[in-house]
Amino acid sequence: MRKEAVLITGANGEIGHGLINYLGGQGNFGVIALDVQPLDDSLKPFVEKFIQGDILDGMLLGRLVAEYEIRTIYHLASILSTKAEYNPETAHRVNVEGTLNLLRLAVEQSQWQGRAVKFLYPSSIAAYGLPDLATKNSAGKIKEHNWLEPITMYGCNKLYCEHLGRYYARHYRQLAADKSSTTVDFRCIRFPGLISAITVPTGGTSDYGPEMLHHAAQGLPYDCFVRPDTRLPFMVMPDAIKSLLLLEAAPSENLKHLTYNVTSFSPTAMEFHDIVQKAFPGAAIHFKPHAARQGIVDSWPADVDDSAAREDWGWQPDYDQVRSFDEYLLPAIRERYSSGN
Ligand code: AKB
């Protein structure tokens, strides 16, 4: 008999760490972790099976179909916004073709099992594209269906994959004579910038927040690549994990949408700086805006409206701005760097 499992791609990434720690710790089902890099040692105890490989490798994904009964897929692997701009075509392959392969795997799994397979997909505020700063500053809280003209390859990939998810969930092979009723239960969250005390992001453009904090905590100087007045929505990692788990567990009949905004707090880079400087008085943080990266952040919303998630699946962050720093980030980061990790 094949074993029930949850598949997590991009296992070594920031969300992967948090999710594997939580799901692996529960022990309700096996966690299969997939990543192109060797799995971090800290995650090994929580994982039933680790596969080092590429989501573009169809053979590898095919083997998974045969061995496991995958109930839920958390498809976290992707190339983030800044890195994607250095090689947009590679980013497209990984972000779009990789997602297509995982959706295809979900279809095959659902056909084997005769029931829907859940597909949790983290999209991003990068799916939005505001045309200029004046519009960003006057737009208020952005709803899911507005301002969808992303200016980055990553944002285009995320938005398109949301559409792919909708297609696989609702219209897959709509003309086929043997069209089956088994489906992909696609559920997507558009995340704001995420901040973890455990990991430091790489390749993103909201990275100035977490980078500022992690540099200051290690006594390293930091040049912030956006202007002090730059505002973006952020959320700490425990809330990001909470949102994925809540959406996964939500009864389908409650879900009126496939894609939901979530958010917690929206500081300016200067407000972020002030909190970090107060916590680490010796920190040497300077503002040295990088015009192109600034342009990307200026196209992303200052705030998003997450009322649909609140109404449909009871979303609510545990950590507001004060609690995020005082009760999660600062204590955990101090501990992390004082213990030399
Ligand atoms: C990035 O900066 O690319 C990501 C994101 C906002 O999705 N952190």
Side-chain angles (χ1 to χ4, degrees):
M1 223 180 91
R2 293 182 315 153
K3 211 169 161 200
E4 285 216 352
V6 167
L7 172 64
I8 301 178
T9 71
N12 277 328
E14 289 212 285
I15 304 179
H17 266 87
L19 200 57
I20 289 175
N21 266 298
Y22 181 83
L23 290 177
Q26 296 281 299
N28 297 343
F29 31 69
V31 172
I32 309 171
L34 180 68
D35 203 288
V36 274
Q37 302 294 337
L39 190 67
D40 286 359
D41 285 342
S42 66
L43 298 178
K44 286 180 182 162
F46 302 107
V47 162
E48 168 153 336
K49 183 170 173 77
F50 171 64
I51 299 159
Q52 186 173 353
D54 194 331
I55 51 171
L56 297 176
D57 181 348
M59 300 268 283
L60 183 144
L61 296 182
R63 281 207 308 278
L64 277 181
V65 176
E67 276 178 48
Y68 288 94
E69 190 161 309
I70 298 169
R71 300 292 303 122
T72 304
I73 298 173
Y74 292 89
H75 174 40
L76 311 177
S78 79
I79 295 184
L80 297 184
S81 55
T82 290
K83 193 167 173 208
E85 289 311 305
Y86 289 103
N87 200 336
E89 290 76 20
T90 300
H92 187 277
R93 263 199 304 284
V94 172
N95 293 347
V96 175
E97 288 174 36
T99 302
L100 195 68
N101 287 346
L102 267 302
L103 284 165
R104 178 75 218 148
L105 179 123
V107 168
E108 282 175 29
Q109 279 283 329
S110 122
Q111 283 165 352
W112 269 87
Q113 295 175 33
R115 56 184 171 179
V117 166
K118 286 186 190 164
F119 193 104
L120 274 290
Y121 182 68
S123 185
S124 162
I125 48 165
Y128 296 106
L130 292 132
D132 51 55
L133 205 48
T135 311
K136 167 169 172 153
N137 290 337
S138 61
K141 286 175 179 286
I142 307 264
K143 281 195 182 291
E144 282 86 349
H145 52 274
N146 290 330
W147 304 110
L148 295 171
E149 284 189 34
I151 67 163
T152 61
M153 176 53 102
Y154 169 74
C156 293
N157 295 163
K158 285 292 182 191
L159 186 57
Y160 175 63
C161 287
E162 292 178 11
H163 287 298
L164 274 182
R166 181 175 51 78
Y167 169 77
Y168 273 80
R170 294 183 176 164
H171 309 290
Y172 183 64
R173 296 183 77 229
Q174 55 200 285
L175 297 184
D178 64 342
K179 189 171 169 293
S180 69
S181 57
T182 52
T183 49
V184 177
D185 182 353
F186 182 80
R187 303 176 178 205
C188 167
I189 291 180
R190 281 198 198 131
F191 279 115
L194 298 180
I195 321 174
S196 167
I198 316 297
T199 50
V200 189
T202 47
T205 320
S206 61
D207 292 4
Y208 61 88
E211 280 175 1
M212 197 187 286
L213 180 60
H214 282 266
H215 276 71
Q218 294 170 88
L220 300 171
Y222 185 66
D223 289 341
C224 178
F225 57 82
V226 297
R227 291 184 317 268
D229 66 313
T230 305
R231 196 183 287 282
L232 271 192
F234 279 98
M235 175 187 281
V236 289
M237 196 54 73
D239 273 335
I241 304 303
K242 172 183 169 177
S243 68
L244 279 170
L245 297 171
L246 271 179
L247 181 57
E248 198 273 345
S252 347
E253 59 274 20
N254 292 3
L255 302 179
K256 294 199 268 304
H257 311 275
L258 294 177
T259 295
Y260 291 91
N261 286 335
V262 294
T263 191
S264 179
F265 54 96
S266 272
T268 62
M270 192 65 199
E271 284 161 3
F272 213 109
H273 161 278
D274 291 348
I275 296 168
V276 172
Q277 191 77 56
K278 189 165 167 231
F280 303 99
I285 304 164
H286 300 102
F287 286 91
K288 297 218 174 122
H290 177 287
R293 293 183 95 186
Q294 179 74 58
I296 291 175
V297 176
D298 286 347
S299 77
W300 292 350
D303 203 355
V304 293
D305 180 334
D306 61 4
S307 53
R310 288 172 187 259
E311 277 159 33
D312 288 6
W313 42 279
W315 159 247
Q316 179 176 327
D318 287 336
Y319 295 87
D320 60 11
Q321 184 163 311
V322 171
R323 236 192 126 203
S324 289
F325 282 93
D326 291 356
E327 293 181 35
Y328 167 63
L329 291 169
L330 295 175
I333 280 181
R334 283 198 176 102
E335 148 111 30
R336 175 184 165 171
Y337 292 117
S338 67
S339 64
N341 292 320

